[in-house]
RNA sequence: CGGGGAGUAGCGUAGCCUGGCAACGCACGUGCUUUGGGAGCACGAGAUCGCGGGUUCAAAUCCCGCCUCCCCGACCA
């Protein structure tokens, strides 16, 4: 490809809105352009990288027996009503009416379509197991897009669906996908950590997320450096020691002026935060006020809390008025004397005697609050976040917290969708059984961004060879001085093109100064930069620079020609 | 949705407080020179100053409303 013909432009200055390296570099180097919040066009270079990433994902899916297909982006709403998700999902799903007034939705995932297809196609146990996948656009109207391609609203996902006769079969499919993901991310040049995760809106029993460590990551991971424990903080369960036993003392109200936070309360009383009980207030999607009580030295984990109260439609922080309506006082709140609220107590609070808790009266707290005696739980569960230094559940050594970006996930779905669509098969026993499903996603664009996040330097992108849009970047210099420069460049460019699409190179044939060409070559990030110039020809060939190391060697033309075909 | 910030030429910005010809760098076009690390000179094109309303002799600038984008928090590939 001649750079003079390529639909792109590089930017000398960083776009003001781009903060993450991948966002900045993909914009500057002319790979992508933004159309709206969380909506991006892929320019030709971006499209080629995207295709290379897709191809690696495709090969690894095919290797474990996945069959590629394609399902639509626009679905009739009735399909989503059948699974119940038309009601449960909320505003992140795009909804519209067709010209006849029928409710339609934009696909945010494809379990429903697969469920319906299974009901249609699968009759017999002989058709199972079976795994299908496709690359398709999803629309998810996220509350906030961010970080360029890291978190967008419209994106292409590889989503795969495994279909098995029973749980044992699902287990096999699940771990086959696990292995495929490990290979996929290795080939993409991404160091991932598989963490166990929440099953979220998908429902199901077991799930892993593949995470790339990144300070800008939106997930917090709980990791153990002594063993291989790794979990999303949403689900990490940390063992906690029993608090020292004390006899319950009488409840006693006392004045704590202005102590609306645990920090100020503990400082005022000169006690540890672990001697206090903290109440946090949420409202579920179905309108219940939830009061969560954790010890002052912990934080509420909203995922665990949501699961504990079986919240449909998620949780949102409660308004002051909603807290007051239940007889509680924000800043001095506790379930003591409250009414009309669902109370969830962290199991550590349940075991901690004589805590300081809010008195539901401005400027007052109680001493010696005891769960079970002074207030009762509707549910007692672990609802706290793991913290750095907590003991690892495997080996007991202190865990660390790191941020991560989720580049892929795998879910055991079970029969939720096959039940909804009556997707059954006749078993060897002559009976109908529900098909057992799994679901496996990889966001293509996010992976592209993550590759740039790990493979770049101060000059620009450094593509791993497997995903680079072109195998090499040819820079020709001094064509006016030496006619052979253009001839040789032309020859190398044609040779690479003839060697096949994967061997094609980018040739900067523009009439630009050498400085501009080198700078752009480094910004664009092809793994090899080939320089043809009067100087290189006089020295006997082509200068070959490895982008990653900056190492330069002068190689005879014939050798470069061979390497353009066989690889460098 | 809560909090913070920003919309001026393709990109980056100044001008706004204190109203008075819309400016600078890069990029872009033409010509000449230059050609191994973001070249030089000359000429040139490019902006309804996010949108709507208001105040004023006069609005990028002041006031009101709206829209969009970015960043931090609750969701996910």
């Amino acid at each position: 490809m001649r750079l003079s013909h390529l639909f792109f432009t590089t930017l000398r200055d960083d776009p003001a809105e781009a903060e993450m390296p991948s966002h900045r570099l993909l914009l500057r180097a002319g790979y992508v352009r933004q159309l709206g919040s969380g909506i991006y066009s892929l320019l030709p270079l971006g499209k080629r990288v995207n295709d290379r990433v897709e191809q690696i994902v495709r090969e690894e899916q095919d290797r474990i027996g996945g069959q590629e297909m394609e399902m639509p982006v626009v679905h009739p709403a009735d399909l989503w009503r059948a699974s119940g998700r038309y009601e449960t999902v909320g505003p992140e799903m795009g909804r519209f009416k067709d010209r006849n007034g029928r409710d339609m939705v934009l696909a945010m995932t494809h379990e429903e379509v697969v469920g319906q297809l299974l009901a249609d196609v699968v009759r017999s146990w002989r058709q199972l197991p079976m795994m299908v996948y496709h690359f398709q656009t999803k629309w998810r109207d996220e509350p906030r897009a961010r970080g360029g391609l890291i978190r967008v609203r419209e994106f292409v996902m590889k989503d795969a669906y495994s279909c098995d006769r029973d749980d044992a079969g699902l287990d096999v499919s699940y771990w086959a996908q696990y292995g495929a993901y490990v290979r996929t991310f290795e080939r993409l040049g991404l160091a991932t950590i598989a963490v166990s995760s929440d099953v979220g809106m998908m429902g199901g029993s077991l799930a892993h997320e593949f995470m790339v460590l990144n300070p800008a990551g939106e997930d917090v991971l709980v990791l153990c450096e002594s063993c291989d424990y790794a979990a999303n903080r949403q689900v990490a369960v940390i063992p906690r020691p029993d608090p020292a036993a004390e006899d319950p003392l009488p409840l006693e109200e006392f004045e704590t002026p202005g102590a609306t936070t645990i920090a100020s309360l503990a400082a005022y009383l000169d006690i540890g935060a672990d001697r206090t009980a903290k109440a946090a207030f949420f409202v579920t999607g179905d309108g219940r006020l939830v009061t969560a009580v954790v010890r002052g030295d912990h934080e509420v984990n909203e995922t665990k809390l949501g699961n504990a109260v079986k919240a449909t439609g998620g949780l949102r922080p409660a308004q002051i008025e909603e807290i007051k309506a239940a007889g509680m006082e924000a800043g001095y709140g506790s379930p003591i004397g409250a009414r009309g609220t669902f109370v969830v107590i962290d199991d550590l609070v349940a075991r901690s005697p004589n805590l300081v808790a809010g008195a539901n009266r401005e400027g007052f707290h109680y001493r010696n609050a005891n769960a079970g005696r002074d207030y009762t739980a509707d549910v007692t569960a672990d609802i706290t976040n793991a913290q750095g230094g907590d003991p690892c559940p495997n080996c007991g050594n202190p865990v660390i917290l790191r941020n991560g970006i989720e580049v892929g996930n795998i879910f055991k779905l079970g029969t939720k969708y096959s039940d909804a669509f009556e997707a059954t098969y006749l078993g060897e026993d002559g009976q109908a059984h529900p098909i057992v499903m799994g679901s496996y996603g990889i966001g293509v664009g996010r992976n592209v961004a993550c590759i740039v996040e790990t493979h770049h330097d101060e000059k620009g992108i450094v593509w791993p060879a497997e995903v680079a849009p072109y195998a090499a970047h040819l820079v020709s210099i001094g064509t006016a001085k030496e006619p052979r420069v253009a001839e040789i460049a032309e020859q190398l460019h044609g040779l690479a093109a003839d060697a096949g699409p994967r061997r094609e190179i980018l040739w900067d044939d523009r009439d630009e100064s050498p400085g501009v060409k080198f700078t752009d070559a480094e910004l664009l990030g092809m793994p090899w930069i080939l320089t043809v110039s009067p100087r290189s020809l006089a020295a006997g060939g082509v200068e070959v620079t490895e982008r990653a190391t900056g190492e330069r060697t002068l190689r005879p033309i014939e050798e470069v020609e061979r390497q353009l075909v066989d690889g460098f």
Side-chain angles (χ1 to χ4, degrees):
Chain A
M1 182 72 201
R2 291 164 192 263
L3 208 51
S4 61
H5 295 167
L6 184 66
F7 179 56
F8 96 122
T9 186
T10 56
L11 303 175
R12 189 169 290 206
D13 300 310
D14 284 332
E17 76 276 6
E19 301 215 332
M20 290 184 71
S22 62
H23 189 196
R24 193 164 43 80
L25 291 170
L26 288 169
L27 283 171
R28 271 193 59 201
Y31 284 79
V32 303
R33 280 295 182 269
Q34 183 172 14
L35 184 62
S37 181
I39 310 175
Y40 284 81
S41 298
L42 296 176
L43 301 187
L45 283 174
K47 172 63 174 160
R48 282 183 76 97
V49 177
N50 214 70
D51 287 352
R52 298 295 288 273
V53 170
E54 265 191 29
Q55 184 55 26
I56 289 170
V57 174
R58 176 177 291 117
E59 286 169 13
E60 295 302 332
Q61 290 293 305
D62 289 346
R63 189 207 292 267
I64 60 168
Q67 303 179 50
E68 186 166 2
M69 62 180 300
E70 186 168 301
M71 291 174 273
V73 178
V74 173
H75 302 175
D78 283 346
L79 185 74
W80 286 73
R81 291 196 176 100
S83 68
R85 286 207 281 187
Y86 191 75
E87 288 75 26
T88 57
V89 167
E92 60 265 39
M93 183 154 68
R95 299 157 204 258
F96 66 102
K97 287 182 193 297
D98 70 9
R99 64 193 299 160
N100 295 315
R102 274 187 278 270
D103 290 323
M104 310 295 284
V105 310
L106 295 174
M108 48 191 301
T109 175
H110 285 80
E111 282 80 9
E112 277 78 359
V113 181
V114 173
Q116 199 192 53
L117 287 170
L118 289 176
D120 182 13
V121 173
V122 175
R123 300 271 97 93
S124 157
W125 63 273
R126 295 174 202 279
Q127 293 168 274
L128 302 173
M130 185 276 294
M131 187 134 58
V132 290
Y133 71 95
H134 72 338
F135 294 91
Q136 184 57 285
T137 298
K138 314 295 187 221
W139 171 258
R140 295 185 184 177
D141 195 357
E142 301 289 346
R144 183 158 87 84
R146 79 181 105 195
L149 292 190
I150 294 291
R151 182 176 193 71
V152 294
R153 296 192 295 168
E154 183 190 306
F155 62 100
V156 172
M157 178 161 77
K158 181 286 297 175
D159 38 327
Y161 302 90
S162 65
C163 310
D164 282 281
R165 282 175 252 175
D166 50 31
D167 286 343
L170 171 59
D171 206 53
V172 172
S173 299
Y174 185 87
W175 292 107
Q177 281 287 353
Y178 189 103
Y181 274 40
V182 169
R183 284 188 296 275
T184 300
F185 295 123
E186 265 175 26
R187 290 182 62 186
L188 292 176
L190 293 173
T192 56
I193 298 171
V195 302
S196 49
S197 67
D198 185 52
V199 293
M201 72 165 181
M202 297 296 181
S205 58
L206 179 64
H208 282 88
E209 292 166 338
F210 287 76
M211 294 284 189
V212 176
L213 294 185
N214 186 298
E218 303 178 78
D219 286 88
V220 177
L221 313 183
V222 180
L223 306 174
C224 177
E225 292 177 306
S226 306
C227 66
D228 59 357
Y229 178 78
N232 194 309
R233 185 163 71 172
Q234 291 176 334
V235 299
V237 175
I238 296 293
R240 289 175 295 192
D242 276 318
E246 288 175 17
D247 289 332
L249 300 172
L251 194 66
E252 176 192 333
E253 191 182 43
F254 66 111
E255 204 165 350
T256 54
T260 57
T261 64
I262 291 296
S264 59
L265 179 66
Y268 177 72
L269 297 175
D270 195 25
I271 57 173
D274 61 336
R275 300 298 311 203
T276 67
K278 171 164 67 177
F281 310 97
F282 299 89
V283 175
T284 62
D286 51 17
R288 288 178 293 161
L289 178 69
V290 173
T291 302
V293 185
V294 299
R295 253 182 21 187
D297 55 337
H298 287 90
E299 290 168 10
V300 174
N301 178 316
E302 287 191 35
T303 303
K304 291 181 183 177
L305 181 63
N307 290 338
V309 302
K310 297 179 174 57
T312 51
L315 295 170
R316 63 164 172 83
Q319 314 273 343
I320 302 283
E321 305 78 58
E322 291 167 324
I323 298 167
K324 278 191 188 300
M328 294 183 287
E329 181 69 34
Y332 304 90
S334 76
I336 301 173
R339 57 189 182 275
T341 180
F342 191 90
V343 178
V344 184
I345 299 181
D346 184 56
D347 57 3
L348 185 59
V349 169
R351 292 184 284 115
S352 300
N354 301 327
L355 298 177
V356 173
N360 292 322
R361 178 177 164 204
E362 180 155 0
F364 288 88
H365 279 82
Y366 285 121
R367 254 193 270 277
N368 306 324
N370 286 280
R373 182 191 70 182
D374 305 315
Y375 56 101
T376 54
D378 294 294
V379 172
T380 300
D382 170 11
I383 54 166
T384 59
N385 273 336
Q387 299 173 333
D390 282 349
C392 168
N394 274 358
C395 68
N397 285 304
V399 297
I400 57 170
L401 304 183
R402 289 287 182 276
N403 288 70
I405 299 171
E406 182 182 353
V407 290
N409 67 15
I410 55 178
F411 283 99
K412 282 192 179 182
L413 287 178
T415 60
K416 174 172 174 177
Y417 297 95
S418 28
D419 289 342
F421 293 95
E422 294 176 26
T424 60
Y425 68 93
L426 276 186
E428 290 179 88
D429 56 4
Q431 302 294 310
H433 301 280
I435 296 169
V436 182
M437 292 174 63
S439 147
Y440 314 90
I442 293 178
V444 178
R446 180 180 286 182
N447 274 267
V448 170
C450 283
I451 293 167
V452 178
E453 285 291 318
T454 34
H455 299 276
H456 73 273
D457 59 22
E458 65 289 343
K459 292 175 175 173
I461 301 173
V462 186
W463 292 115
E466 271 227 79
V467 298
Y470 292 93
H473 189 125
L474 174 62
V475 174
S476 52
I477 294 170
T479 45
K481 246 191 214 168
E482 168 60 86
R484 281 181 62 222
V485 168
E487 280 171 34
I488 306 254
E490 181 93 49
Q491 184 185 323
L492 296 176
H493 178 249
L495 184 82
D498 292 342
R502 293 212 40 158
R503 292 288 168 212
E504 199 182 345
I505 64 171
L506 196 58
W507 173 22
D508 191 348
D509 60 333
R510 298 175 300 175
D511 184 24
E512 288 286 356
S513 72
V516 170
K517 291 189 173 194
F518 287 132
T519 313
D520 278 349
E522 283 154 351
L523 177 61
L524 264 54
M526 302 319 137
W528 300 94
I529 298 169
L530 314 179
T531 308
V532 184
S533 68
R535 185 196 288 185
S536 80
L537 292 178
V542 176
E543 189 178 277
V544 178
T545 308
E546 187 176 12
R547 174 67 182 86
T549 60
E551 194 181 316
R552 296 183 194 190
T553 52
L554 191 79
R555 304 183 190 181
I557 293 169
E558 304 73 47
E559 184 183 337
V560 171
E561 287 177 338
R562 215 165 37 243
Q563 289 172 327
L564 283 172
V565 177
D566 300 335
F568 286 88

